[in-house]
Structures are given as structure tokens and as C-alpha cells.
Amino acid sequence: MERLKVLVVDDEERMRKLISDFLKIKDFDVIEAGDGDEAVDKFFSDKDIALIILDVMMPKMNGWDVLKTIREHSKVPVIMLTARSEEQDELKGFEYGADEYISKPFSPKILVARVEAILRRSGMNQEDVVNIGGIEVDKSAHSVKIDGAEVELSFKEYELLVYFIENKGIALSREKILNNVWNYDYFGDARTIDTHVKKLRAKMGSKGDYIKTVWGMGYKFEA
């Protein structure tokens, strides 16, 4: 089986080596970049990168600009890595299209577990197509159509919709959604879920009404 390739971007060589060593233990191929310009060059010159671990504060081109540049051309999963933990920075990362947001210091083992979880979900090999209430989810193509028209969803929005559909009719707490869609015990503000749901509903148009708010708890999908 071909090894998956991860691009690790951080201006601290020690940090890059730490992350790379743990990824290589899990049999990942690792490409390193020491600044934003190098990261963009390496991403566009290598078409096989499966995931990016991206530091925010870097010389030449910061992580936000790298993320925006990549998102103009690709939906590759991106984990933002930063020493800043303010909520506004976290929401900014999600707004620009980040899939995860991890604050330093962190456990390298937990980081690798999140990498594996994201790639496992994004690389689903099911060929089945789910149809429900005018929504068509093609898991093999990782695509969504609503009333026959393709809808552009971010990686996390897609995962969130699939999780809702797979648990249709079940009231889901924010914590349960975070633990299953993000696949780890989330220590930030659970309102992150509300931000993603709001964006998902907007992209779904009238079908966004299928995602019901369960007051004081979370959400429930009913088509």
C-alpha cells in the first residue's frame, strides 16, 4: 500500500523534526518546509500531498496566507499549528478553511492520531451513494449534490453533514459531535460547532432546515 504524504510547515527546525519523527513512526512520507513561500512551492510541485500541518507565525508568508492560497485550488485537509490560542484566531482558521486547529504545546501522539483520523475519513473507499430528502452524498467521490446541483463543502462541513445523515433522527450534543467529527476530546469552545453548522446550513439552502437545533443540547438531522 502506498504511503500517504504529509507536508509539515514550521519555521522551527526542531518542531518540524519532532512532528516528522512521529509521523514516520506511523509510516507516513513527510515533506518539510521552513516558511510559507517554500510551503506553497512544495505543495504545488507535488500533487500527492494528502494533508498539511501548517504553522501560523512564519517569515515571508504566514500560515493564513498559505492557507488562503491553497484553498483557492485545493480542498486538501489542513491542520493549523500555532502558539496562539485566542478564540478569534481559531475562528479565523476555520473561516479560511482549516480543518483542525491545534495550539502549542501539544502531544505529538495526539497530533498524529488526528492526522490519521482525518485521512481515514477523507479517504473513504465506499462506493455507495446516500440519497435522503433531495440530498445525494457520494462517499467515493467525496461530493454532495442537493436537488441535482453540486454543493461545494469544505472538508469539515462534508464530514459534519455525513455524520448528521448517519445519525438522522438522533439528538446529538455538541460534545458528541466534536468527539466524533473532530475525533478527539475538544478542549476549546463548543460554539465552534455552531459556526460550522451555520455555514453548512447556508450552503444547503432550503435543505439547511433539515438540521434542527435542539435547544440546550445540540442538533438533530431530520429530512
Side-chain angles (χ1 to χ4, degrees), residues 59-85:
K60 296 185 180 180
M61 188 177 188
N62 65 37
W64 303 128
D65 291 335
V66 172
L67 178 60
K68 285 192 289 185
T69 300
I70 288 173
R71 277 291 172 263
E72 291 175 0
H73 305 276
S74 172
K75 294 181 181 178
V76 64
V78 176
I79 296 177
M80 300 299 292
L81 194 64
T82 176
R84 306 172 72 178
S85 59

Side-chain angles (χ1 to χ4, degrees), residues 163-214:
Y163 183 67
F164 279 142
I165 291 174
E166 289 175 344
N167 293 275
K168 59 182 181 295
I170 301 173
L172 303 165
S173 69
R174 288 173 175 81
E175 289 73 20
K176 187 175 181 65
I177 295 169
L178 284 165
N179 290 341
N180 283 273
V181 176
W182 275 255
N183 205 49
Y184 63 96
D185 291 330
Y186 186 82
F187 296 107
D189 193 332
R191 285 176 295 180
T192 298
I193 286 293
D194 300 336
T195 301
H196 281 80
V197 169
K198 182 179 180 180
K199 291 182 178 180
L200 178 58
R201 279 173 168 161
K203 291 184 178 182
M204 291 172 66
S206 62
K207 299 295 191 290
D209 293 339
Y210 291 169
I211 304 174
K212 312 290 186 184
T213 299
V214 181

Side-chain angles (χ1 to χ4, degrees), residues 10 15 19 53-56 79-83 102 104 106:
D10 197 302
M15 181 62 68
I19 296 170
I53 297 174
L54 178 62
D55 187 34
V56 171
I79 296 177
M80 300 299 292
L81 194 64
T82 176
I102 300 176
K104 300 175 184 177
F106 59 89

Side-chain angles (χ1 to χ4, degrees), residues 16-165:
R16 293 199 308 273
K17 185 177 188 308
L18 175 67
I19 296 170
S20 297
D21 287 348
F22 275 84
L23 287 168
K24 289 173 181 176
I25 290 173
K26 289 292 188 174
D27 212 29
F28 287 103
D29 274 339
V30 180
I31 301 173
E32 297 183 22
D35 61 59
D37 285 346
E38 185 182 3
V40 170
D41 289 343
K42 289 192 173 181
F43 176 76
F44 287 110
S45 65
D46 192 322
K47 303 302 182 184
D48 295 325
I49 291 172
L51 182 142
I52 302 172
I53 297 174
L54 178 62
D55 187 34
V56 171
M57 305 305 292
M58 293 185 297
K60 296 185 180 180
M61 188 177 188
N62 65 37
W64 303 128
D65 291 335
V66 172
L67 178 60
K68 285 192 289 185
T69 300
I70 288 173
R71 277 291 172 263
E72 291 175 0
H73 305 276
S74 172
K75 294 181 181 178
V76 64
V78 176
I79 296 177
M80 300 299 292
L81 194 64
T82 176
R84 306 172 72 178
S85 59
E86 291 86 353
E87 182 182 274
Q88 63 185 28
D89 289 322
E90 185 170 345
L91 293 175
K92 184 177 181 180
F94 291 133
E95 178 185 345
Y96 286 173
D99 299 289
E100 295 277 8
Y101 192 101
I102 300 176
S103 298
K104 300 175 184 177
F106 59 89
S107 162
K109 289 184 178 179
I110 294 296
L111 173 60
V112 173
R114 295 180 192 176
V115 168
E116 291 178 320
I118 288 176
L119 291 174
R120 185 167 57 248
R121 294 194 297 269
S122 66
M124 289 186 295
N125 294 318
Q126 299 99 319
E127 295 183 358
D128 55 312
V129 176
V130 177
N131 283 284
I132 181 169
I135 301 173
E136 178 184 291
V137 179
D138 186 334
K139 292 185 177 180
S140 62
H142 218 256
S143 66
V144 174
K145 291 182 180 178
I146 293 181
D147 293 333
E150 186 153 353
V151 179
E152 291 290 328
L153 299 181
S154 71
F155 174 77
K156 194 57 65 180
E157 289 163 353
Y158 170 85
E159 285 195 310
L160 190 57
L161 177 59
V162 169
Y163 183 67
F164 279 142
I165 291 174

